[in-house]
Amino acid sequence: MINGAVLGSPISHSLSPVLHKAAFAFLGIEGDYSAIKVESGALAKCLQTRSSEFDYLSLTMPLKEEVLGLGFDADALTQRIQSGNTLIKRNDKWSISSTDGSGFVAALEHAGINEIESVLLLGAGGTARAVTGSLDSVAKNIHVLGRSSLRQEALESAISHSHFEYHRWSSDIDFTQYDLVVNTTPAAAADLLASAVNPGIKATLFDVIYKPWPTELAQRWSDCGGTVINGLELLMYQGLDQLAMVLDIEFDREALATHLRDVLRKSAR
């Protein structure tokens, strides 16, 4: 029996339980997965009191950075991007990893996007750092639009090869200079930027939000003729990578992805 959960706040909207339970059923594995509300500053206490219940945990806002301060072993990528979304327990010890970046790249590849000249990330939190790290050397230019300069150094540390620029948040943004825009902000945070999207836009928008959907930005993008990738794609592929880390079996990833995509789309309606 495998037990997992997703931790974060807010959490009631999360489709991670749907994803993981559907994967268990598809693979014929006995398992359970739940959603637990854990607010900022409460992760350590949650793990102290409930650690014995779980084999692995998924982390969402606002815990992806907080988990790095708990003293668990973290792989090299997680240390570099200073963001973790996966806790796995082996021999009663937790270790931290991140599947946000690998899941993001897999979602791009599924959409047929393999070459990127310039990308703009909206937001500068844990997901943004994971995406930034995954795009290093993939995109020639990586720009981040953040609301606080306090996160600039952490983002820069995730970059080794690409040209990086950090810009303070502004609604006066020219989307035409990018071929990929990634919204990593909480729901509604980027709505004011919708007015900067003009008809004929060529860039692809990858909005990591999947509920509520569509966001105002995604709707405007689509109305103006641009391509939009739904956040369900990131949820699914990062979840597949978590399952691959947790399960000791080989499975057909594409067959499972096709099944999960259908399940998630129905659940998100």
Side-chain angles (χ1 to χ4, degrees):
M1 178 76 173
I2 296 176
N3 285 308
V6 57
L7 313 182
S9 180
I11 203 66
S12 60
H13 71 287
S14 177
L15 290 180
S16 287
V18 173
L19 184 154
H20 288 260
K21 288 179 180 179
F24 291 151
F26 184 86
L27 297 172
I29 293 172
E30 185 180 2
D32 196 19
Y33 190 98
S34 56
I36 302 172
K37 184 177 181 180
V38 178
E39 297 181 346
S40 178
L43 180 57
K45 183 177 181 180
C46 176
L47 292 174
Q48 288 171 1
T49 57
R50 304 193 62 176
S51 177
S52 62
E53 301 176 34
F54 304 105
D55 301 294
Y56 73 109
L57 296 165
S58 308
L59 304 177
T60 186
M61 294 185 298
L63 307 177
K64 293 182 180 183
E65 299 163 78
E66 184 174 324
V67 69
L68 272 298
L70 299 185
F72 302 134
D73 288 337
D75 59 31
L77 171 64
T78 303
Q79 292 181 39
R80 179 164 63 89
I81 65 176
Q82 285 295 291
S83 173
N85 77 329
T86 307
L87 278 168
I88 295 179
K89 186 168 61 179
R90 293 190 176 93
N91 299 320
D92 291 324
K93 292 184 178 181
W94 289 107
S95 61
I96 314 169
S97 297
S98 176
T99 63
D100 279 330
S102 59
F104 177 79
V105 170
L108 286 181
E109 291 177 346
H110 177 76
I113 300 175
N114 299 296
E115 295 184 5
I116 304 167
E117 181 72 23
S118 297
V119 59
L120 173 68
L121 276 72
L122 308 178
T127 301
R129 286 210 292 278
V131 170
T132 298
S134 71
L135 290 175
D136 185 29
S137 76
V138 175
K140 293 182 179 180
N141 301 290
I142 300 176
H143 296 184
V144 173
L145 196 65
R147 286 172 287 186
S148 171
S149 58
L150 297 176
R151 296 176 181 268
Q152 179 175 349
E153 184 176 348
L155 283 156
E156 284 183 306
S157 67
I159 296 292
S160 299
H161 305 288
S162 301
H163 172 72
F164 177 82
E165 292 184 17
Y166 188 92
H167 304 278
R168 291 299 299 271
W169 192 269
S170 170
S171 58
D172 184 22
I173 185 74
D174 180 11
F175 288 121
T176 63
Q177 61 183 305
Y178 304 101
D179 45 14
L180 176 66
V181 176
V182 186
N183 179 28
T184 70
T185 65
D191 284 356
L192 292 177
L193 300 180
S195 60
V197 183
N198 297 310
I201 190 164
K202 302 298 183 182
T204 295
L205 172 68
F206 195 134
D207 199 326
V208 304
I209 295 170
Y210 57 83
K211 194 173 182 180
W213 186 264
T215 62
E216 186 173 330
L217 179 63
Q219 185 63 63
R220 173 64 180 173
W221 209 279
S222 180
D223 290 344
C224 289
T227 299
V228 177
I229 301 175
N230 188 300
L232 288 176
E233 292 293 295
L234 175 57
L235 174 70
M236 183 186 66
Y237 280 111
Q238 62 83 26
L240 283 173
D241 285 349
Q242 287 180 338
L243 288 165
M245 294 167 63
V246 172
L247 304 178
D248 292 324
I249 62 171
E250 295 290 331
F251 59 88
D252 187 331
R253 289 174 65 96
E254 284 310 308
L256 181 54
T258 299
H259 174 69
L260 293 178
R261 185 176 287 111
D262 184 55
V263 171
L264 289 171
R265 285 175 178 172
K266 290 178 179 177
S267 299
R269 291 174 182 169

